[in-house]
Amino acid sequence: MVQRVAIIGAGSSGLASIKCCLDEGLEPTCFEQSHDIGGLWRFTEAGRICVYRSVITNTSKEMMCFSDFPFPEDFPNYMNHSRLLEYFRMYAEHFSLLRYIRFKTTVHSVRKRPDFSTTGQWDVVTETDGTAESAIFDAVMVCSGHYAEPHLPLDSFPGIENRFRGQYLHSWEYKDSASFQGKRVLVLGVGNSGGDIAVEISRVAAQVFLSTRSGTWVVSRISDHGFPVDMMLSTRFHNCLENFLPSALMRWLRLKKFNTWFDHANYGLIPQKSPNLSLIVNDELPSCILCGTVVVKPNVEEFMESSAVFEDGTVEENIDMVVFATGYTFSFPFLEESVRNNCRSKYALYKYIFPPPLEKPTLAVLGLIELTGSIMAGTELQARWATRVFKGLNQLPPASRLMAEVAKKQQHLIKQGLSNKESKIKTSYIGYMDEIASCVGVKPNVPLLFLKDPKLALEVFFGPCTPYQYRLAGPGKWVGARNTILTQWHRAVKPLRTRVINDSSNHSLVFHWLTILGLPALLCAGLLICKYSSQLWFPRVRLGVFPICKMGFMKGGL
């Protein structure tokens, strides 16, 4: 019986893991290398990987919150690191989590005990203030995330080390734009960090060049009618359409939507090799390109003493600084080699959490996911499942089946030619959340909701798939979930209404969705509901249960 659980890291996933352990009656001990909580989101000037000073979240507060602890209604929808860290502190204080954290403690090794095959226990060696300590734990949750080490591919850029006389650095070293005043700067990589840094540097630099190997789609945080874009797009209704409409049609609709804001081809950003692979959130990049403060360039072929030669043959002279916004890699040096080899890739883990070859499922790796929605919400749900597996309340399939599923996913990547692009592949947010929720037993039963609570069902199906939905029923049910879902739009609008005006417009739910989704979308939904009405609305009297809905919004899986 698992009782003592070691948790490595006190970032967002570590905090959620502590609480999930407590919810299941386990005894957590969290080891945090630094002196405080927050992980990546606690800004420091130097010494550790963290966000830069001006960073703003690209996921809105309603989509990224812990499922039973919404953000205060006056918090902005998108926030800087200090506000998010404040929320973490509120969460830790509310659920009394700090007492379970050992700060300034480094985990040196996590090894299976000699009797692991029968006990599933681990020897964990830590160091605090120069004093080493060894302890036995029944289970381990690795919450150090996938931003462990900067990825600096110098070998891919000939001349950067031995010819280029300017300065180069990785984006993790970037704190603010002060040192870039008046410089000609080249940013390599157009992910979220690369786009943000290019925009910020362009305000003080003489010129910024943004180099991209394959391009990206750019979306704004602001969607129709000024609502957060993820609240508008991450809905079960949209997920249902994606599952039912032909993929070619959905791809065309998606690309048409992306180009509504600006024509990505004209701006040099349209993805060439993998049109569905890359997407970033940036409100200012198109404006900077339009104004010429940021110039988009193709991939760099080589560096000369003070210039960069690009693959299209063009040359930019007098480059002073190069910023590698080339991402991160994850590693777990504290794990014994046999276990570490099984965690070499997120696709080597069962449902991105459990290493399949282990005799006992007492090791969970959290946060190695790239979702089309909130990673924070995903890792919390991972922690809920992992702790119930530790407790013996949920069972994993046999090891042979776990390994077969992992092998199937890896073969699928190879077949699509994506095996070397894992970091760019994003998994469907709703699909993954529903899949893990099904394992836990907390997936919302939408057809049943339409019968029992139509008002809530409308919001669950047509509204944003917020984390609260996974607290409506089953283990960990939260009594406040229903009201929190019904008031989520109020919390989104509340921090915007800082100037009181007379507004007599109708903001009812029906009016809201008629104006946003449009009549064609509602007609499409009506056709789907009619087509599957027998499965959705009528119970099987002979069996006395409702059949599983075949609609895409109830279909889990990656």
Side-chain angles (χ1 to χ4, degrees), residues 85-103:
L85 185 59
E86 181 183 352
Y87 171 72
F88 290 156
R89 297 194 194 285
M90 294 166 62
Y91 180 76
E93 181 179 353
H94 182 79
F95 293 107
S96 303
L97 306 182
L98 294 180
R99 69 180 72 175
Y100 301 97
I101 305 175
R102 291 178 55 181
F103 293 107

Side-chain angles (χ1 to χ4, degrees), residues 8 107-111 140 142 144 331-336 340:
I8 303 173
V107 176
H108 284 304
S109 72
V110 176
R111 298 182 176 278
V140 176
V142 180
S144 51
S331 65
F332 310 113
F334 45 81
L335 293 178
E336 66 174 76
R340 188 166 64 247

Side-chain angles (χ1 to χ4, degrees), residues 265-316:
N266 289 340
Y267 283 62
L269 288 171
I270 189 168
Q272 294 293 316
K273 300 176 182 178
S274 304
N276 292 322
L277 208 59
S278 180
L279 183 147
I280 66 171
V281 178
N282 196 300
D283 302 305
E284 301 178 66
L285 181 58
S287 177
C288 290
I289 296 172
L290 189 65
C291 297
T293 57
V294 174
V295 175
V296 178
K297 303 292 292 185
N299 191 46
V300 174
E301 188 172 272
E302 65 175 332
F303 282 94
M304 307 306 288
E305 290 184 352
S306 61
S307 62
V309 181
F310 298 90
E311 289 182 346
D312 61 355
T314 59
V315 179
E316 294 295 344

Side-chain angles (χ1 to χ4, degrees), residues 214 216-217 271 274-279 418 421 424-426:
S214 56
T216 186
W217 299 108
S274 304
N276 292 322
L277 208 59
S278 180
L279 183 147
L418 300 174
K421 300 178 180 179
K424 295 184 179 181
I425 301 172
K426 293 192 175 183

Side-chain angles (χ1 to χ4, degrees), residues 366-387:
L366 307 186
L368 292 190
I369 47 174
E370 290 285 348
L371 300 178
T372 56
S374 169
I375 295 178
M376 271 182 58
T379 54
E380 184 199 19
L381 199 51
Q382 286 182 329
R384 291 175 66 184
W385 185 35
T387 51

Side-chain angles (χ1 to χ4, degrees), residues 202-427:
S202 71
R203 300 188 183 107
V204 300
Q207 183 64 63
V208 173
F209 302 97
L210 180 59
S211 171
T212 172
R213 186 185 302 272
S214 56
T216 186
W217 299 108
V218 183
V219 299
S220 172
R221 291 176 175 84
I222 306 171
S223 184
D224 301 331
H225 301 268
F227 289 108
V229 65
D230 52 357
M231 291 186 73
M232 300 300 297
L233 296 181
S234 296
T235 71
R236 295 184 179 277
F237 172 73
H238 282 127
N239 192 59
C240 179
L241 292 182
E242 289 187 0
N243 285 332
F244 269 83
L245 294 179
S247 58
L249 176 59
M250 281 306 303
R251 188 181 304 113
W252 179 81
L253 291 172
R254 192 181 299 116
L255 303 190
K256 186 175 178 62
K257 177 67 175 178
F258 289 158
N259 275 323
T260 300
W261 188 20
F262 68 95
D263 190 318
H264 285 67
N266 289 340
Y267 283 62
L269 288 171
I270 189 168
Q272 294 293 316
K273 300 176 182 178
S274 304
N276 292 322
L277 208 59
S278 180
L279 183 147
I280 66 171
V281 178
N282 196 300
D283 302 305
E284 301 178 66
L285 181 58
S287 177
C288 290
I289 296 172
L290 189 65
C291 297
T293 57
V294 174
V295 175
V296 178
K297 303 292 292 185
N299 191 46
V300 174
E301 188 172 272
E302 65 175 332
F303 282 94
M304 307 306 288
E305 290 184 352
S306 61
S307 62
V309 181
F310 298 90
E311 289 182 346
D312 61 355
T314 59
V315 179
E316 294 295 344
E317 303 284 353
N318 302 318
I319 301 297
D320 300 302
M321 304 182 76
V322 177
V323 180
F324 281 81
T326 46
Y328 298 82
T329 60
F330 61 86
S331 65
F332 310 113
F334 45 81
L335 293 178
E336 66 174 76
E337 186 175 359
S338 62
V339 178
R340 188 166 64 247
N341 289 338
N342 294 323
C343 302
R344 66 190 181 280
S345 161
K346 63 183 179 182
Y347 291 99
L349 304 173
Y350 179 64
K351 299 193 185 299
Y352 310 140
I353 304 173
F354 295 101
L358 290 180
E359 302 95 320
K360 297 288 183 179
T362 56
L363 174 67
V365 182
L366 307 186
L368 292 190
I369 47 174
E370 290 285 348
L371 300 178
T372 56
S374 169
I375 295 178
M376 271 182 58
T379 54
E380 184 199 19
L381 199 51
Q382 286 182 329
R384 291 175 66 184
W385 185 35
T387 51
R388 289 183 62 79
V389 170
F390 295 161
K391 188 77 171 181
L393 300 174
N394 293 137
Q395 301 295 326
L396 296 185
S400 58
R401 181 177 163 188
L402 303 187
M403 297 182 71
E405 181 172 326
V406 167
K408 182 179 178 180
K409 290 184 184 297
Q410 292 174 333
Q411 287 299 317
H412 181 68
L413 284 178
I414 295 173
K415 186 177 180 180
Q416 290 188 311
L418 300 174
S419 57
N420 62 339
K421 300 178 180 179
E422 287 187 13
S423 62
K424 295 184 179 181
I425 301 172
K426 293 192 175 183
T427 302

